[in-house]
Amino acid sequence: MLYFQLVIMAGTVMLAYYFEYTDTFNVHVQGFFCYDNAYTKPYLGPEASSAVPPAILYAVVCGVPSLLITAIESVLFLLQYVSEDLDNREKIIVMGDCCYLNPLVRRTFRFLGGQRIQGHFQGVYAFGLFSTDIFVNAGQVVTGNLSPHFLTVCKPNYTALGCVQTARFVNQQGACTGNEDDIMHARKSFPSKEAALSVYAALYTAMYITLKVKAKGTKLAKPLLSLGLMCLAFLTGINRVVEYRNHWCDVIAGFIIGGAIAVFMVLGVVQNFKGKSLLNEIPPEESVVSGIPMMGQPRIMDNTMEKYISSQNPITFAEVT
């Protein structure tokens, strides 16, 4: 199952790459009416000149959730480690006879990269992020919806197209005379990728903070941090409209896609971040055979094994003498 899940993750990443950086999928060429005011907004330059450039957006949606989850899991682990409840402390997991998995690493990895460590690697957040990108790119390729500044970068020859006296509908392939890259990007407006990715990252992180942090005195801190993240995502969508890079319907659709995928990942995949204990995941008959741990099987480094062996093979004083 581990290799199968790795193959799925690799396939998702590759599909996102082909959508983003190759011409494997042709964008639908949507026609337009001459002098349509909906597509004559000014062009404010490439995406790199935006108030929220792609480099910063991708760095934030990838880095901020990872840092927050790592910090929270570290604090939760340290609080549990220094607690007096020794029975509820997480144990060090031994994978075979060579590898040791620290419980802090296990907790952080489970919520950043997967639901369970033992044989079930699922890149929950990363998988959802790439899935959001795929959904958005697929929508853009299929619809070919025009950006508000499409006619500005298209620069159609209205005289050659017969638009001098009537606003006729134009759907010819060679109707535009502007830069081909700008024209192609202007045909990929619906839904808004920036809105979808920002809302996915913000909502996933907000739900994690709300469901995992149970400390006293955080009743206002949790909603403040969560609403702050959602506000940043909302401002990202507004910026797309203000800069005439997307329509309102594009941004709203991006919000819906990113939010839906985030909710599905939290509720359906990681199940509200309530991971099962590895002690409950390992059946006794698989982890112990005749009192001897099987080669390659995970086991818990505490006195559970000794209790199990003593219960199966009690040694009396008479047998010793």
Side-chain angles (χ1 to χ4, degrees):
M1 291 297 296
L2 172 62
Y3 299 105
F4 179 70
Q5 293 169 9
L6 287 176
V7 170
I8 293 178
M9 186 64 189
T12 304
V13 174
M14 290 300 298
L15 184 58
Y17 171 81
Y18 279 111
F19 266 119
E20 191 75 24
Y21 299 105
T22 67
D23 298 330
T24 305
F25 304 96
N26 295 323
V27 180
H28 172 68
V29 178
Q30 187 178 116
F32 58 91
F33 285 96
C34 300
Y35 308 105
D36 192 338
N37 292 329
Y39 307 124
T40 57
K41 300 298 187 294
Y43 178 56
L44 302 182
E47 292 290 338
S49 63
S50 172
V52 186
I56 295 179
L57 177 66
Y58 296 154
V60 170
V61 299
C62 294
V64 171
S66 301
L67 293 176
L68 281 176
I69 293 176
T70 301
I72 293 174
E73 286 298 320
S74 301
V75 172
L76 293 177
F77 169 75
L78 292 176
L79 292 176
Q80 186 184 53
Y81 185 78
V82 300
S83 66
E84 297 180 356
D85 190 2
L86 300 179
D87 293 334
N88 290 330
R89 290 184 183 176
E90 293 199 42
K91 310 302 188 296
I92 296 178
I93 308 303
V94 181
M95 306 299 292
D97 294 333
C98 64
C99 305
Y100 297 85
L101 188 60
N102 188 277
L104 172 60
V105 178
R106 181 173 73 90
R107 288 173 62 92
T108 304
F109 181 79
R110 185 173 68 226
F111 297 118
L112 280 179
Q115 184 182 2
R116 296 187 297 177
I117 287 296
Q118 185 186 351
H120 293 278
F121 173 80
Q122 295 180 352
V124 177
Y125 178 77
F127 179 79
L129 193 65
F130 283 110
S131 298
T132 303
D133 186 80
I134 291 173
F135 270 91
V136 171
N137 279 313
Q140 293 177 348
V141 169
V142 171
T143 61
N145 198 43
L146 306 179
S147 300
H149 60 262
F150 174 76
L151 291 180
T152 305
V153 299
C154 176
K155 301 177 181 179
N157 188 340
Y158 291 120
T159 303
L161 296 174
C163 299
V164 178
Q165 297 179 350
T166 59
R168 62 186 297 268
F169 183 76
V170 179
N171 59 357
Q172 290 93 327
Q173 287 282 353
C176 297
T177 62
N179 183 273
E180 293 184 0
D181 292 336
D182 293 339
I183 295 171
M184 185 59 61
H185 189 75
R187 290 186 181 275
K188 301 168 65 176
S189 177
F190 180 88
S192 173
K193 180 184 298 183
E194 290 74 12
L197 294 179
S198 59
V199 163
Y200 170 79
L203 185 57
Y204 184 96
T205 308
M207 294 180 72
Y208 171 83
I209 294 172
T210 304
L211 295 171
K212 285 293 296 181
V213 179
K214 303 295 182 181
K216 296 181 179 179
T218 60
K219 291 184 178 180
L220 293 180
K222 290 192 297 184
L224 177 63
L225 183 57
S226 301
L227 292 177
L229 294 173
M230 295 301 298
C231 181
L232 292 177
F234 182 69
L235 290 176
T236 301
I238 292 180
N239 178 72
R240 301 296 300 178
V241 179
V242 171
E243 293 185 348
Y244 307 116
R245 301 184 187 275
N246 291 104
H247 303 277
W248 272 112
C249 60
D250 306 333
V251 172
I252 294 174
F255 285 161
I256 294 175
I257 292 175
I261 294 177
V263 171
F264 171 74
M265 288 295 167
V266 172
L267 300 183
V269 181
V270 294
Q271 299 176 357
N272 292 335
F273 301 101
K274 296 179 180 179
K276 296 181 180 179
S277 172
L278 283 182
L279 183 61
N280 298 328
E281 295 176 4
I282 306 173
E285 61 272 12
E286 295 184 6
S287 59
V288 177
V289 177
S290 300
I292 302 176
M294 294 179 62
M295 182 69 68
Q297 291 290 342
R299 61 186 186 275
I300 308 301
M301 291 184 66
D302 59 0
N303 59 353
T304 305
M305 186 182 300
E306 286 78 1
K307 292 179 180 179
Y308 179 82
I309 297 174
S310 61
S311 63
Q312 298 295 322
N313 302 286
I315 301 176
T316 62
F317 178 77
E319 292 177 350
V320 175
T321 58

